[in-house]
Amino acid sequence: MDAWVLWLIAAGVLLVFEMMTLTFYVLWLCIGAVVAAVVGWIAPDAYILQVLAGCVVAIVLTIFTKPLSRKIRNSSKGYEDTGTELAGKQGVVVEPIEEGQFGIVKIGGDTWSATSVRSLKKDELVRVLKRSSTIIEVERWEDFT
């Protein structure tokens, strides 16, 4: 089997590993393996050149993207989760909530799976107590006021 095929297999394995970890460090190794595969395809007998090309690309990507990733992480703009500021907001029950079961509540333009310590009927106003993951805990609005 040619060396460039082995490099592509290694790149595929690294890509799968990157998708499981989402660290971006393994992605740079994957890209380095792809570069080594290209060099191996062009110069099949230059094994040291393949390794050096892959290593240099992986190191350069790691060094130059670290400040960029730090800048993106620390920027004030970015992805904002719509559920971070839900506590205290008013919503309306879309599907009834039975005690110990889930129902659906609409808050603004978003719908959420919701639980409550009391049964709530459709179209009742509710207040969000807290959010855990994708499920919110609500109470009847009249109980709050």
Side-chain angles (χ1 to χ4, degrees):
M1 186 178 294
D2 292 333
W4 67 271
V5 175
L6 295 174
W7 284 116
L8 283 180
I9 292 170
V13 170
L14 289 168
L15 184 62
V16 169
F17 189 65
E18 171 60 37
M19 288 189 285
M20 291 188 306
T21 61
L22 298 173
T23 60
F24 283 108
Y25 292 115
V26 182
L27 180 64
W28 308 145
L29 294 174
C30 172
I31 293 171
V34 169
V35 168
V38 169
V39 171
W41 184 59
I42 295 169
D45 295 329
Y47 300 114
I48 293 177
L49 185 61
Q50 295 170 23
V51 172
L52 284 176
C55 288
V56 167
V57 167
I59 290 170
V60 167
L61 285 172
T62 302
I63 290 171
F64 285 112
T65 57
K66 195 165 186 125
L68 178 64
S69 64
R70 187 179 306 121
K71 183 179 178 181
I72 290 171
R73 249 181 299 166
N74 295 334
S75 70
S76 60
K77 295 179 183 177
Y79 175 74
E80 290 184 21
D81 187 5
T82 58
T84 55
E85 302 292 329
L86 281 178
K89 288 196 174 183
Q90 183 182 29
V92 63
V93 178
V94 176
E95 286 187 19
I97 302 172
E98 297 298 326
E99 208 171 315
Q101 295 183 356
F102 298 112
I104 296 181
V105 172
K106 186 171 186 174
I107 301 166
D110 297 323
T111 56
W112 293 84
S113 294
T115 62
S116 178
V117 293
R118 292 183 170 175
S119 295
L120 299 169
K121 297 176 184 165
K122 185 177 178 178
D123 296 326
E124 279 193 75
L125 292 178
V126 293
R127 178 180 78 101
V128 178
L129 296 175
K130 66 179 181 178
R131 173 189 171 214
S132 61
S133 174
T134 59
I135 300 169
I136 58 173
E137 186 176 329
V138 296
E139 70 178 356
R140 188 174 282 124
W141 187 261
E142 292 83 30
D143 295 343
F144 169 65
T145 55

